[in-house]
Amino acid sequence: MDETIEYAAATGALSSIWLLVALPLLSAAVLLLGGRRLDKTAPVLGTGVVAVDFVLAVYYVVTLADQSNRAVSLQVFSFIPVNGLQVDAGLLLDPLSAVFILLITGVGGLIHLYSVGYMHDDPGRRRFFGYLNLFVAAMLLLVLGNSFVVLYVGWEGVGLASYLLIAFWYTRPAAATAAKKAFIMNRVGDVGLLIAIFVMFATLGSTQFSDVLGGAAALTGGTATALALLLLLGACGKSGQFPLQAWLPDAMEGPTPVSALIHAATMVTAGVYLIARASPIYNLTQDGRTVVAIVGAVTLLIGCVAGCAKDDIKRVLAWSTVSQIGYMFLAVGLGPAGYAVGILHLLTHGFFKAGLFLGAGSVMHGMNDEVDMRKYGALATRMKITFATFTLGYLALIGFPFLSGYYSKDLIIEAAFDKGGTSGWLLGGAALLGAGLTAFYMTRLMLMTFFGEARWDEGAHPHESPTVMTAPMIVLAFGSVFAGFVLVHVFSLESWLEPVFGAPPEADHVIEPIVVTLLVLVLVAVGIAAAWLFVGRRQVARTAPVSVSAVVSAARANLYGDALNESVLMRPGQWLTRALVFVDNKGVDGAVNGVAALIGGSSARLGRAQNGFVRTYALGMLGGSILVVAALLAVRFG
Amino acid sequence: MIEAPSVSYTGLSPVLFVFGAALIGVLAEAFVPRAYRWGVQLTIALGGVLGALVSVALIAGREELTISRAVAVDGPALFLEGTLALLGLLSILLLAERSPDMGGSAFVAQAAVPAGTALDRQLATHARTQTEVFPLASFALGGMMLFAAANNLLVMFVALEVLSLPLYLLAGLARRRRLLSQEAALKYFLLGAFTSAFFLYGLALIYGYAGTVDLRGIFDQAAGTDKSDALFVIGLAMLIVGLLFKAGVAPFHTWTPDVYQGAPTSVTALMAACTKVAAFGAILRVLYVGFGNSDWTWRPVLYGVAIVTLIVGSVLALTQTDVKRMLAYSSIAHAGFILTGTIANNQAGLSSTMFYLLTYGLTTIGSFAVVMLVRDADGEASHLSQWAGLAKRSPLVAGVFSLFLLALAGIPLTSGFTGKFVVFRAGLDAGAGPLVVVALLASAVAAFFYVRVIVLMYFSEPAADGPTVAVPGMLTTVALAIAAAATVLLGVAPGAVLDLANQAAQFVG
């Protein structure tokens, strides 16, 4: 990848791509500043803007596809014009960002529509749609920015929107805490991204994609690895990857559409986007790629294991998200062989995970916002549409043949094995094991929610959700079923992305693809069977059993991720804070107060000379005069 | 036979306008019926300073020495005359304030009546007002202008006396707290006479050395003779003492707090702003024109004096509880800041000092004008504790006073910052780095007592029987508005005035 990267200037219809960001931003401003009189129109306006954005996005992408150079850059304004540091606010529409704007506006639009029903009775729905539009604007800016600085603006924008939406019901302490946790853990990652941008500027003198990625070949190995690891830190924070995964499950305190849009389909995949976007840097550093792949593999297993032990339906899905993004990291960590596959999984995951979350929201909607699966059961007949769409999402997620997940996940597992050597076997094995565990925890979820006997609370009257909610679920279910097939066989995503990632190298198969597929299917079958054995054929207790094996309690405790953070980071941090406060109080303040007391004291002492007697004054002046005369004489004759 | 020297009336017109107003004022005092006297006197005094302002504007750029080289008409003289005319205009507006809301006139009708007698008590409630203050102020202003323009030590001494004597009188004219006022006047007079003697003695020694009182002549003589230097050096030291006294520089500052506190506040404003301008004008001319080539003798001394002044002014102000005394110590600290630029002995030193004088003068007059407004039953409420919570009662007055305090502290976007910046830069470029560091530390200390007043006004609970804020009359309002506008303008867009000061920074002769 040593060819120069050049983007054509946007002309014609594409010179208005800034509208994509501007429209939802404007709408967010109107909704958030507009006051109560907009309460009624908020859902219509918020959803309509994203729908318009989707239409625009389709139009732009079609226009782009007709062009010979499928990467156009639009200079919007000069952002930081300082001598030696020229940062332009500009947008870049290329095959990679095209994929993302379709995903964001498409899935985003459906989830907005769903929210119209889901948030129908919430008094704060104007604020909700305002935040949601703000998120869409920031996310589009993130993927459309043509420099790392503009990307960073969007990056922080989605972080803010995520914070606001997790804490949407801010009167609940759990939601407020979760929002803070998400924000702070994201900051840890953001620091990595920020330092990476500084390093880029220091070594390459620019933060524009064209300069940084085009000039990446000039980087020394050490710098490239450092950049790769710093960008990975940023990606881990935003995407909830090990070791910064703990915030994502807690983020489920936000309203369910938020979980679907931000914490499943779009924002949390920004890390994958970042690594894919910076692929020229990762191509330079084998070490950097290996770390990405390891992080992905570790995270996917953590996610699977934690997902197996949860009883909260949204937490299971959240850990599943953590795990699936682990797959994507694993894929992009494999280098040129995996970028396109990773993005493919990102897209298919965007469909079926959004569908699953909306399904979970629909279940909760019908069950008085109950999230504990132990109080579900036998809902298949009561909520037929939800059940059908959820099942399709479930099948897509576990990789049932010819559904979306089957295409994307199998390709990742295959590519992991194809890496070759011990690392290939380890990564491939982890991915394979993950597929089996995924089948287990998702089947467990299905069984506990839709089958078995009803374990509902008193007064629960499960009912199907209104059409405005089920319609998006149905659309997403179609995506779950067909997206993989279409993107592999009908409209090849791989060749569409070729201008960005280059042609993938000819695979040197370690294991024949058909064998991999069979192995996956076998493991999935084992997972399903295990779930049936442990959950399906037994009575599900309405309260979680207390005496459980060490493995289960570890999984329930998220593999002690929080405990680790607390003991390794939080406690030392608190000690450091206390020590600094002590030094500040006693040392710094002491010095300042001491000096102040000294000056004040000397002021009082000096002031005694001002005794009001004119004779004293005259004497003082005489003394002063003698001093001046003596000083002048000393200067002259001394 | 002595030939009458030629006089350039055009070049002297600013001074002549003010002296003319003073003389006409004396006649008016004698002949105009009492009922009209106040209006007539005010018109005459304002006419004098306005005429001076206009003529400064008209003859700007003129350079000559007139009356046998005794008086200079040049950039610094005209700039400072203009500054004095402007500050004098504001001071006269304050002197003329006599709205009943502010306790009528601030001046006693008959200064000679002993305090506390029956007649005195009768006068205190009487509506009779004092109009001699206008010619007195005009005389003082004229003396100040001449002081800054004198190119001859004898003329300078005469000007010193012309400016001082009316101020001694004005300081004793307060209508309330008469004993304090009379004590202030007496102290000012005694100490002023004491240092006048120093000045005169120094003049005599210099004459003995150089054989001339002409500043240029002294300069030429100092360049190369084999006469004893002792006369020269001691003479210079005594001249400096006399000048530093008027400028309120430590260790010759001791009169300042007592006099500023005792004098009627409008007179304090006149003294604090205009006297400082005139004194530094004279210091600049004497040192730069007369002793510019022997600056290696006086610079180290002024260096030390500046440090002492900075420390005394800013440290002593910390423990003041009276707002007028606090402003007095503040003016001492400011003299130290000005000296930082003055010792540069070059064009930058000259222009920065003149600019600082202008900004300081405007802000100071504004501050004292606010002090006049805050009153209780006994007149002005100058104790700081009475200012607690003022912002709740009178946000506008508190806001304007905060602006002036921030400017005095040298906060950016106020004129005080620009002024400090230019004098510090001049000092730094002239190699006075350590002095500038001391000055910066002093301004940090000074910021404390300025901001403390702001904190007091905004964040303290108002006292139960606190002072009321008088509604200022039209004249005071105009003065306050001009001072506040200039404080902001010279902080935000000082370019034009800085250019003017730079162009004017060239002595003639």
Side-chain angles (χ1 to χ4, degrees):
Chain A
M1 290 284 285
D2 53 0
E3 76 263 37
T4 54
I5 293 180
E6 278 189 27
Y7 304 129
T11 50
L14 292 181
S15 56
S16 61
I17 49 174
W18 57 272
L19 279 175
L20 283 175
V21 180
L23 287 178
L25 193 63
L26 184 69
S27 160
V30 168
L31 288 177
L32 292 176
L33 303 176
R36 272 165 212 273
R37 78 202 88 141
L38 290 178
D39 274 357
K40 284 226 166 57
T41 46
V44 180
L45 178 62
T47 311
V49 161
V50 181
V52 170
D53 243 21
F54 177 65
V55 174
L56 279 175
V58 171
Y59 170 66
Y60 290 137
V61 174
V62 170
T63 314
L64 183 75
D66 285 343
Q67 294 195 346
S68 55
N69 187 343
R70 286 182 182 169
V72 295
S73 179
L74 175 71
Q75 158 83 15
V76 183
F77 61 90
S78 186
F79 184 32
I80 307 178
V82 181
N83 192 23
L85 173 60
Q86 298 290 335
V87 179
D88 293 329
L91 302 179
L92 166 69
L93 186 64
D94 71 344
L96 182 59
S97 51
V99 167
F100 273 91
I101 62 171
L102 289 178
L103 174 75
I104 295 160
T105 55
V107 175
L110 290 173
I111 293 172
H112 272 75
L113 185 63
Y114 175 92
S115 306
V116 174
Y118 191 84
M119 302 298 284
H120 188 261
D121 301 321
D122 196 290
R125 60 189 183 282
R126 178 177 55 82
R127 190 163 53 90
F128 181 79
F129 280 95
Y131 291 162
L132 223 48
N133 279 177
L134 176 68
F135 167 76
V136 169
M139 187 72 200
L140 287 170
L141 186 65
L142 193 165
V143 298
L144 280 172
N146 73 347
S147 75
F148 281 97
V149 171
V150 179
L151 177 145
Y152 187 77
V153 174
W155 190 270
E156 293 298 331
V158 294
L160 169 68
S162 162
Y163 169 79
L164 293 171
L165 283 165
I166 296 171
F168 180 73
W169 290 311
Y170 51 80
T171 47
R172 297 183 190 168
T177 311
K180 267 190 282 184
K181 185 172 177 183
F183 199 76
I184 290 168
M185 292 192 81
N186 265 292
R187 298 305 308 167
V188 177
D190 294 348
V191 170
L193 176 56
L194 199 56
I195 296 175
I197 294 173
F198 295 158
V199 172
M200 283 169 203
F201 177 67
T203 54
L204 297 166
S206 170
T207 59
Q208 302 285 315
F209 288 156
S210 52
D211 300 332
V212 174
L213 304 179
L219 293 171
T220 59
T223 315
T225 308
L227 273 180
L229 293 180
L230 286 168
L231 291 174
L232 174 64
L233 180 60
C236 281
K238 195 60 80 194
S239 292
Q241 297 294 291
F242 178 79
L244 299 175
Q245 80 280 17
W247 69 269
L248 184 51
D250 286 8
M252 299 303 131
E253 293 294 338
T256 305
V258 171
S259 308
L261 177 61
I262 300 183
H263 305 116
T266 56
M267 183 189 85
V268 289
T269 60
V272 182
Y273 169 79
L274 179 66
I275 293 175
R277 175 58 80 193
S279 59
I281 295 174
Y282 284 91
N283 287 335
L284 292 172
T285 160
Q286 176 64 48
D287 295 341
R289 289 204 302 277
T290 308
V291 175
V292 176
I294 291 172
V295 164
V298 169
T299 313
L300 82 86
L301 287 177
I302 291 177
C304 286
V305 172
C308 290
K310 297 293 169 197
D311 292 329
D312 176 332
I313 186 168
K314 284 181 72 182
R315 301 245 165 180
V316 176
L317 291 175
W319 281 111
S320 164
T321 304
V322 171
S323 151
Q324 296 302 310
I325 297 171
Y327 273 104
M328 299 172 209
F329 269 60
L330 171 60
V332 293
L334 295 171
Y339 293 130
V341 184
I343 300 297
L344 175 66
H345 193 53
L346 192 158
L347 288 178
T348 57
H349 174 257
F351 283 108
F352 58 68
K353 188 53 64 64
L356 286 171
F357 264 113
L358 296 192
S362 175
V363 170
M364 288 159 57
H365 200 68
M367 296 289 288
N368 294 339
D369 289 330
E370 179 58 62
V371 292
D372 189 350
M373 296 191 296
R374 291 183 183 277
K375 295 176 182 168
Y376 290 169
L379 292 175
T381 49
R382 294 296 190 102
M383 309 171 113
K384 291 208 174 68
I385 302 174
T386 303
F387 173 62
T389 59
F390 203 95
T391 307
L392 291 173
Y394 154 74
L395 291 174
L397 172 56
I398 64 171
F400 194 81
F402 310 114
L403 269 63
S404 288
Y406 164 78
Y407 290 99
S408 52
K409 205 194 286 179
D410 269 21
L411 285 172
I412 294 176
I413 299 173
E414 214 173 277
F417 277 118
D418 288 351
K419 186 169 185 286
T422 323
S423 64
W425 282 101
L426 283 173
L427 295 174
L432 203 55
L433 180 61
L437 287 169
T438 307
F440 173 78
Y441 70 71
M442 282 309 292
T443 310
R444 175 174 172 269
L445 183 152
M446 288 298 289
L447 292 172
M448 287 174 81
T449 304
F450 293 105
F451 298 102
E453 61 200 30
R455 302 177 298 278
W456 310 333
D457 269 337
E458 298 274 321
H461 302 289
H463 56 88
E464 187 55 277
S465 299
T467 319
V468 72
M469 286 168 69
T470 51
M473 288 153 60
I474 294 167
V475 176
L476 287 169
F478 273 99
S480 312
V481 175
F482 299 113
F485 178 79
V486 169
L487 289 173
V488 172
H489 293 299
V490 181
F491 178 83
S492 171
L493 185 72
E494 201 165 349
S495 50
W496 166 256
L497 290 173
E498 212 176 285
V500 183
F501 300 131
E506 201 53 44
D508 184 14
H509 293 305
V510 178
I511 310 176
E512 279 306 306
I514 186 69
V515 180
V516 175
T517 306
L518 286 176
L519 274 174
V520 171
L521 288 178
V522 168
L523 271 166
V524 168
V526 169
I528 295 172
W532 170 251
L533 283 175
F534 287 113
V535 182
R537 66 188 180 107
R538 297 189 195 171
Q539 185 117 22
V540 178
R542 280 201 82 216
T543 49
V546 182
S547 58
V548 287
S549 67
V551 181
V552 176
S553 36
R556 277 190 188 161
N558 307 334
L559 297 178
Y560 304 114
D562 288 331
L564 189 75
N565 285 340
E566 207 164 286
S567 54
V568 175
L569 299 172
M570 196 195 88
R571 300 244 176 266
Q574 277 182 339
W575 291 329
L576 183 66
T577 316
R578 279 179 204 149
L580 287 177
V581 167
F582 180 80
V583 170
D584 186 52
N585 282 345
K586 302 288 168 179
V588 179
D589 286 7
V592 170
N593 292 337
V595 169
L598 188 73
I599 295 178
S602 45
S603 174
R605 264 187 293 281
L606 273 175
R608 279 181 219 144
Q610 197 74 29
N611 59 6
F613 290 118
V614 75
R615 55 174 189 256
T616 316
Y617 296 173
L619 189 66
M621 284 188 194
L622 183 65
S625 309
I626 291 169
L627 272 181
V628 169
V629 172
L632 267 171
L633 285 172
V635 170
R636 173 63 189 84
F637 299 107
Chain B
M1 179 182 147
I2 302 169
E3 275 184 42
S6 75
V7 179
S8 163
Y9 292 101
T10 321
L12 290 178
S13 54
V15 185
L16 294 178
F17 262 110
V18 177
F19 276 133
L23 293 171
I24 297 171
V26 171
L27 293 177
E29 196 64 31
F31 295 111
V32 174
R34 183 165 280 163
Y36 306 110
R37 222 181 270 163
W38 187 84
V40 171
Q41 287 286 21
L42 177 60
T43 315
I44 293 169
L46 287 179
V49 286
L50 284 173
L53 259 182
V54 171
S55 50
V56 164
L58 289 179
I59 63 172
R62 199 179 170 99
E63 283 201 348
E64 62 180 326
L65 289 170
T66 183
I67 327 184
S68 304
R69 303 174 49 86
V71 180
V73 180
D74 56 8
L78 290 175
F79 187 93
L80 293 174
E81 280 166 11
T83 305
L84 282 166
L86 176 63
L87 298 177
L89 172 71
L90 301 187
S91 306
I92 288 169
L93 291 177
L94 295 186
L95 291 176
E97 178 61 58
R98 56 165 197 177
S99 68
D101 198 35
M102 292 175 60
S105 173
F107 298 99
V108 68
Q110 270 183 292
V113 174
T117 56
L119 183 55
D120 183 46
R121 277 193 293 278
Q122 193 189 331
L123 280 174
T125 53
H126 203 273
R128 250 178 76 187
T129 52
Q130 164 67 272
T131 49
E132 280 100 339
V133 291
F134 295 108
L136 285 173
S138 291
F139 270 123
L141 274 173
M144 290 170 188
M145 288 179 172
L146 190 60
F147 196 46
N151 191 46
N152 173 316
L153 288 178
L154 262 180
V155 173
M156 192 174 273
F157 178 71
V158 172
L160 174 65
E161 293 308 310
V162 171
L163 85 87
S164 299
L165 291 170
L167 286 180
Y168 300 150
L169 288 177
L170 284 170
L173 287 183
R175 182 167 138 135
R176 294 166 187 273
R177 297 180 191 144
R178 289 199 52 212
L179 281 177
L180 201 62
S181 171
Q182 287 174 353
E183 182 191 329
L186 188 65
K187 278 180 184 167
Y188 193 22
F189 169 69
L190 285 174
L191 295 172
F194 186 47
T195 45
S196 288
F198 270 98
F199 187 88
L200 198 56
Y201 194 18
L203 191 166
L205 291 175
I206 293 289
Y207 183 75
Y209 170 82
T212 175
V213 288
D214 183 86
L215 288 175
R216 184 73 202 178
I218 296 167
F219 182 90
D220 292 340
Q221 289 294 320
T225 61
D226 48 1
K227 291 180 202 164
S228 163
D229 273 356
L231 278 182
F232 175 76
V233 172
I234 297 173
L236 172 59
M238 299 218 164
L239 283 183
I240 290 176
V241 168
L243 293 169
L244 292 185
F245 170 81
K246 277 290 159 205
V249 174
F252 314 104
H253 67 283
T254 35
W255 60 277
T256 324
D258 293 7
V259 176
Y260 279 20
Q261 187 187 14
T265 306
S266 47
V267 174
T268 309
L270 175 73
M271 282 195 292
C274 300
T275 312
K276 190 91 67 186
V277 174
F280 269 99
I283 290 173
L284 284 168
R285 192 171 290 277
V286 167
L287 292 180
Y288 283 31
V289 178
F291 300 89
N293 56 352
S294 46
D295 61 353
W296 57 275
T297 52
W298 54 261
R299 273 188 71 186
V301 176
L302 284 194
Y303 204 108
V305 163
I307 290 178
V308 173
T309 307
L310 287 166
I311 293 173
V312 165
S314 49
V315 170
L316 277 177
L318 286 177
T319 41
Q320 300 308 315
T321 50
D322 183 283
V323 71
K324 282 169 82 177
R325 281 184 88 83
M326 189 201 84
L327 287 173
Y329 281 106
S330 150
S331 91
I332 295 168
H334 279 283
F337 293 129
I338 301 174
L339 277 179
T340 312
T342 306
I343 63 162
N345 191 23
N346 56 23
Q347 198 190 355
L350 180 54
S351 69
S352 64
T353 305
M354 293 196 301
F355 181 81
Y356 198 108
L357 287 168
L358 176 64
T359 61
Y360 161 80
L362 287 165
T363 309
T364 301
I365 290 190
S367 313
F368 282 110
V370 176
V371 173
M372 289 169 67
L373 296 182
V374 182
R375 313 181 67 88
D376 60 13
D378 296 331
E380 286 160 14
S382 62
H383 199 273
L384 271 179
S385 63
Q386 294 171 289
W387 288 57
L390 193 73
K392 292 202 178 66
R393 234 175 279 142
S394 192
L396 184 64
V397 169
V400 171
F401 197 54
S402 301
L403 170 70
F404 292 137
L405 289 171
L406 291 175
L408 290 173
I411 303 297
L413 297 184
T414 62
S415 61
F417 173 76
T418 323
K420 278 204 176 66
F421 181 80
V422 291
V423 292
F424 288 174
R425 191 177 55 187
L428 207 56
D429 289 347
L435 175 58
V436 173
V437 171
V438 173
L440 285 171
L441 291 176
S443 40
V445 174
F448 173 78
F449 59 80
Y450 296 124
V451 175
R452 187 181 57 175
V453 179
I454 298 178
V455 171
L456 198 66
M457 290 192 299
Y458 279 88
F459 302 112
S460 295
E461 281 305 310
D465 52 348
T468 55
V469 172
V471 178
M474 205 249 299
L475 299 173
T476 305
T477 311
V478 170
L480 261 175
I482 293 176
T487 300
V488 174
L489 195 69
L490 291 178
V492 178
V497 181
L498 275 175
D499 285 346
L500 200 64
N502 272 326
Q503 284 165 19
Q506 187 64 53
F507 283 116
V508 71

